[in-house]
Amino acid sequence: MSTWTPQPAGLQEILQTIRDSTDTQGNVQRAITHKLNTFTRVPDYIAYLAYILTALPQEEDQIRTIAGYLLKNNARLLLNVSPEVAEYAKSAVLQAFVNSPPLIRNAAGHDIVAFLGALEPRNWPDCLQQLVNMLDSPDPALQEAAFSVFEKACEDFPRKMDVEINGTRPLDYMIPKFLVLSEHPMPKMRSHAVACLSYFVPINSQSLFAHIDAFIACLFKRASDEDPSVRRHVCQALVLLLAARPEKLMPEMSNVAEYMLYSTKDKNESVALEACEFWLTFAEDPDLAAFLHPLLGRVAPVLLDCMIYGEDDLLWLDGDTEDTSVPDKETDIKPRHYGGKTHGLDRDQGEANGQERKRGAYGEETLDDEDEDDYDLDDDDFADEMSTEWNLRKCAAAALDVLAVRFGSELLNVLLGPLKNKLWSTEWLERESGILALGAMAEGCIDAIEPHLTTLVPYLINTLNDPKPLVRSIACWTLGRYASWCTQPISEQHKNSYFVPTMEGLLRMVLDDNKRVQEAGCSAFATLEEDAGPELVPYLEPVLRNLVFAFEKYQHKNTLILYDAVGTLADAVGRALQNPAYVEILMPPLTSRWAKLSDDDDDLIPLLECIASVTIAMGPAFSPYALPVFQRCVNIIHQSLLQYQAYQQNPDLDEPDKSFLVVSLDLLSGLAQGMGMHLESLIGQTSPNLLQLLTVCLKHPQAPVRQSAYALVGDLAMGCFQLLRPHLPAIMAELIEQLDPEPKVEFISACNNAAWSVGEVALRYGRDDPEFQQWVNPLIARLIPILLHPKAPRSLHENAAVSIGRIGLMHPNVVAPHLPEFAQAWCLALYEIRDNEEKDSAFRGLCTLVQTNPAGIAKSLLWFCNAIIRWHQPSAELNSMFQQLLSGFKHHDEAGWAAQVSSFPPVIQERLATRYGV
């Protein structure tokens, strides 16, 4: 036992602070929190907390428990204290765990888990041994408490448990022990045993897999346990086994499947949810599709039945109220993390491989690995047509979504009958679950469902009149899932029968008197906007009037979603928003909100993001509103940089939120794109100078700030180059530094924007400009390795290729000697990109390089010709360059050209002959 003893004055001060912490007044709480934080600098603070927890039985249990809670939260301090203090804290929590009433024992148990996590079990083997011994204690409460500690530790850090200590692996004797205890007469002990064993499956623990057959036998034995907690952990273990070692379950799959189907219908929802996870995991693994396929006819209808709201959901949702005038609770509004704008290139539709944004089976965005959306969406961000936490209904919808992608029309064939019964049921809960299922299957089954949409879309539009708000809200979401079909410009009849009624129906829901319906309507309408694009232009006035009226009607949470819908509308219709009548409708409510928010109000972030889209769309028509917007953004950037400077000088301060800085830079990018040289007067009138602040942002330690700053450089180069030019020597040095062939994941978007912006700057300097020429070799020396790097993200390859082409267009004599190094990789990076001006200028650059150094393309001729014939409508100038180069190759050596072309794939030969006569 350690010889550490507390100082009476220090003990009293900490004790009094803990007593004061029970005061519920906000200002007292803040002061106490600050004081408790200062205690962490006291070298033996954790020993005092352990002493209060363990050695002061005369204190109230609440005070001792708070000390235990603080000890858990400060467990990492153990790594930096003297051996004497650490020894005391460790022995004290073990003593409290063994000899205390339940409340104190529970707090000590949490401390032991935290200590084991911080120290790692290999540095506290005595603790593991004592806990194992307690599993045989004659005291059932101590037995169960020790196993509870094991369960939490095995769940939180199984890898740290699976180690060798002093020549032996504790798991080698713990696993057999857990297997024996799975037969214990106490249900809680059996539950802990199965749970502990299951947590070692995902890490492929050899200590567990040495007993894999005994483990599986244990699961089958416990499968019919009377205790739902035990059955839940059995289901969880089978799910983990299916993900990690499916081959172990396949011989028994018929029995496992029967059990899981039975358990998915368990009256205990936690058991049913774990069993439902099994089908989601099964469906997500393409290698298991052949095993799942024979079960489809039985699994899908069970999942469909799981999608009905449970009684608890309905109580929680309180879905029938007209609550539009009821203010939101602040706890209803989830934090959203703004990530900044990224420059990317669109790929051809036919070759995009489903790259466009998709919505998942619960209304959340599903993002491809390389895509970064402005907001990070976590599990809690699934659309609120289901309750906020993961539950059986959501899990079943997710599983159905994945099954639809995996089996398409076969799933629809299985569900057609049950789905029809639900959709046309007289019971509203049945109808609601059928509509959810229809939406969940949208992505995977679209080809099979499409023939039915002429009936289903009018059904969904009609369902928007349902008296039940939960039915109206799910109908909105499902209409959003089929928005791309509704918005197809097939015919005038299609538009009048499906697109216009869907648009009108969703706009009605945007103004519903139920907040949940408003949210679902607004989100679905934003999806419709994305899919419809310019098709919305003829209807802009009524759309804008509806959205603006919603600003007057909405409470806090839905207003944030409305900003997104307005910004998406601006992106969709573009410069059509310049119409003075539309500006007059939209801008007053936005500026009114803008005026009410302080510079540090979190609601300013989505509003600024919305206005950024509006400024790009309105262009010069935004001018009357530009000065206050510009000035405020510059002020926010200036204040944010000062706050960050203060934080760097004093790390004890909280790190400032970068979101305000990032979104202000992005709004200035929007102004630069929308107003171009009209910005000159604004920059002149504003202090401090934007371009000086921008140079500081380019060096900011946080990647999202640099990312948005590089985007602003590119947008300023495009819109008002003459204002940017005097600052470019300092800016270019930072841009070159940022170009990295293998950036860390968090730097990819910043690197992308840097690669794009150097190309924009090169174009604006013009042909053979002597000032830019000094940067050509350093840039090419960075961009070519990015283009050739096999692990660089595709978006980075594309932006690097465009900028190499543009720099080559302006400085061909410097870049052309490098052509043989990068020609093939360059053509591969850009041949799939959709025709646009960026691609056009890049290809004109490549053609100029080929004209300058014809031998440089010799080994990459096939790829060059493939990239040429992938164009749909090159500009007249580019098409002429293609013609000239190809004809030149042919006339230079007709026999050699003919021999080479004859080896090309037939489609390339055919298009070269048809378009260019070669």
Side-chain angles (χ1 to χ4, degrees), residues 176-187:
K177 182 85 179 164
F178 296 162
L179 284 166
V180 169
L181 289 169
S182 71
E183 309 271 354
H184 198 282
M186 279 169 57

Side-chain angles (χ1 to χ4, degrees), residues 135-210:
L135 295 177
D136 294 322
S137 165
D139 176 359
L142 183 59
Q143 262 191 330
E144 198 274 318
F147 222 163
S148 181
V149 168
F150 267 128
E151 181 177 337
K152 192 82 184 89
C154 294
E155 181 179 10
D156 288 355
F157 38 86
R159 288 183 197 284
K160 291 180 185 176
M161 300 287 286
D162 190 16
V163 290
E164 190 172 292
I165 305 175
N166 300 329
T168 63
R169 300 183 77 81
L171 278 192
D172 285 348
Y173 58 83
M174 284 162 58
I175 296 286
K177 182 85 179 164
F178 296 162
L179 284 166
V180 169
L181 289 169
S182 71
E183 309 271 354
H184 198 282
M186 279 169 57
K188 278 189 174 177
M189 293 292 282
R190 298 197 299 274
S191 177
H192 290 316
V194 176
C196 285
L197 289 162
S198 71
Y199 294 130
F200 295 106
V201 173
I203 66 161
N204 284 306
S205 166
Q206 289 315 301
S207 298
L208 174 67
F209 287 146

Side-chain angles (χ1 to χ4, degrees), residues 147-321:
F147 222 163
S148 181
V149 168
F150 267 128
E151 181 177 337
K152 192 82 184 89
C154 294
E155 181 179 10
D156 288 355
F157 38 86
R159 288 183 197 284
K160 291 180 185 176
M161 300 287 286
D162 190 16
V163 290
E164 190 172 292
I165 305 175
N166 300 329
T168 63
R169 300 183 77 81
L171 278 192
D172 285 348
Y173 58 83
M174 284 162 58
I175 296 286
K177 182 85 179 164
F178 296 162
L179 284 166
V180 169
L181 289 169
S182 71
E183 309 271 354
H184 198 282
M186 279 169 57
K188 278 189 174 177
M189 293 292 282
R190 298 197 299 274
S191 177
H192 290 316
V194 176
C196 285
L197 289 162
S198 71
Y199 294 130
F200 295 106
V201 173
I203 66 161
N204 284 306
S205 166
Q206 289 315 301
S207 298
L208 174 67
F209 287 146
H211 301 278
I212 187 73
D213 294 332
F215 175 47
I216 290 173
C218 148
L219 295 178
F220 286 155
K221 194 162 190 180
R222 296 273 62 85
S224 53
D225 198 292
E226 77 227 10
D227 185 75
S229 175
V230 177
R231 296 200 306 278
R232 179 173 77 82
H233 284 302
V234 168
C235 290
Q236 179 187 46
L238 289 168
V239 171
L240 293 170
L241 272 171
L242 184 71
R245 295 292 294 271
E247 76 283 357
K248 287 290 177 186
L249 289 185
M250 288 310 139
E252 296 287 346
M253 184 45 73
S254 59
N255 291 333
V256 172
E258 286 298 333
Y259 175 66
M260 284 305 197
L261 280 166
Y262 178 78
S263 298
T264 308
K265 295 181 273 190
D266 198 296
K267 287 184 173 55
N268 183 295
E269 178 157 339
S270 67
V271 176
L273 173 57
E274 284 300 340
C276 192
E277 292 273 6
F278 182 84
W279 304 115
L280 179 56
T281 302
F282 211 154
E284 282 175 334
D285 188 340
D287 294 336
L288 299 180
F291 297 96
L292 182 55
H293 184 255
L295 301 168
L296 197 59
R298 299 187 60 203
V299 173
V302 170
L303 293 175
L304 188 60
D305 287 337
C306 290
M307 289 160 71
I308 298 176
Y309 274 121
E311 286 178 20
D312 291 348
D313 285 325
L314 293 173
L315 285 171
W316 183 88
L317 288 164
D318 190 23
D320 281 351
T321 52

Side-chain angles (χ1 to χ4, degrees), residues 86 106 209 324 368 394 539 552 610 690 752 764 804 828 850:
N106 186 45
F209 287 146
T324 188
D368 294 325
K394 276 181 145 180
Y539 313 99
E552 297 170 30
C610 167
L690 167 65
N752 254 331
R764 277 29 185 215
I804 290 169
L828 284 169
V850 175

Side-chain angles (χ1 to χ4, degrees), residues 698-911:
L698 294 171
K699 301 174 183 174
H700 200 282
Q702 292 178 312
V705 177
R706 297 199 306 279
Q707 170 187 332
S708 289
Y710 298 136
L712 180 53
V713 169
D715 289 324
L716 287 170
M718 291 164 73
C720 36
F721 178 68
Q722 293 312 318
L723 306 178
L724 185 68
R725 184 165 183 163
H727 300 268
L728 276 168
I731 287 172
M732 288 302 295
E734 296 301 328
L735 286 175
I736 291 166
E737 190 62 34
Q738 185 66 41
L739 298 172
D740 183 350
E742 199 173 350
K744 292 180 183 171
V745 171
E746 62 271 27
F747 295 167
I748 288 171
S749 294
C751 195
N752 254 331
N753 286 0
W756 166 72
S757 60
V758 295
E760 291 295 343
V761 170
L763 281 186
R764 277 29 185 215
Y765 265 105
R767 184 74 180 247
D768 294 323
D769 183 277
E771 184 178 14
F772 189 86
Q773 193 153 339
Q774 65 183 307
W775 300 310
V776 172
N777 277 323
L779 282 170
I780 292 298
R782 295 267 184 154
L783 289 168
I784 291 176
I786 289 175
L787 183 59
L788 299 179
H789 200 291
K791 289 188 180 170
R794 177 150 68 158
S795 56
L796 198 47
H797 281 156
E798 291 163 359
N799 279 316
V802 167
S803 285
I804 290 169
R806 291 171 147 192
I807 295 167
L809 181 62
M810 296 296 121
H811 297 269
N813 292 324
V814 185
V815 180
H818 300 280
L819 184 59
E821 291 174 57
F822 66 77
Q824 179 175 327
W826 194 100
C827 294
L828 284 169
L830 293 185
Y831 78 91
E832 282 186 340
I833 299 302
R834 198 175 295 169
D835 295 4
N836 61 27
E837 197 287 320
E838 276 183 42
K839 182 180 174 183
D840 195 279
S841 60
F843 267 82
R844 282 185 280 120
L846 184 71
C847 290
T848 306
L849 294 175
V850 175
Q851 287 167 348
T852 310
N853 178 13
I857 201 73
K859 291 184 177 172
S860 309
L861 200 56
L862 167 62
W863 308 106
F864 182 50
C865 291
N866 178 53
I868 289 174
I869 60 106
R870 292 295 188 121
W871 274 86
H872 299 294
Q873 288 183 305
S875 65
E877 183 184 357
L878 178 59
N879 205 44
S880 168
M881 293 175 95
F882 287 157
Q883 182 71 67
Q884 193 180 343
L885 283 171
L886 292 168
S887 299
F889 290 140
K890 181 178 179 179
H891 294 139
H892 175 68
D893 176 8
E894 293 218 12
W897 171 258
Q900 195 154 5
V901 170
S902 68
S903 68
F904 290 177
V907 67
I908 299 180
Q909 293 185 46
E910 182 191 322
R911 287 189 191 172

Side-chain angles (χ1 to χ4, degrees), residues 598-602 604-605 608 631-649 653-666 668 688 693-694 696-697 700-702 704-705:
S598 64
D599 284 355
D600 59 354
D601 191 315
D602 285 340
L604 192 61
I605 293 168
L608 289 175
Q631 179 70 66
R632 189 169 189 181
C633 285
V634 170
N635 287 344
I636 291 171
I637 291 168
H638 187 215
Q639 289 308 312
S640 297
L641 291 173
L642 289 175
Q643 287 168 7
Y644 205 84
Q645 188 178 26
Y647 164 72
Q648 286 178 308
Q649 289 164 358
L653 295 172
D654 289 336
E655 185 172 10
D657 184 355
K658 65 183 178 298
S659 303
F660 294 95
L661 174 52
V662 170
V663 77
S664 297
L665 288 165
D666 288 349
L668 291 174
L693 294 175
L694 177 58
V696 179
C697 292
H700 200 282
Q702 292 178 312
V705 177

Side-chain angles (χ1 to χ4, degrees), residues 29 55 115 364 476 515 832:
Q29 282 289 336
F115 281 18
E364 96 286 11
C476 289
K515 289 194 285 191
E832 282 186 340

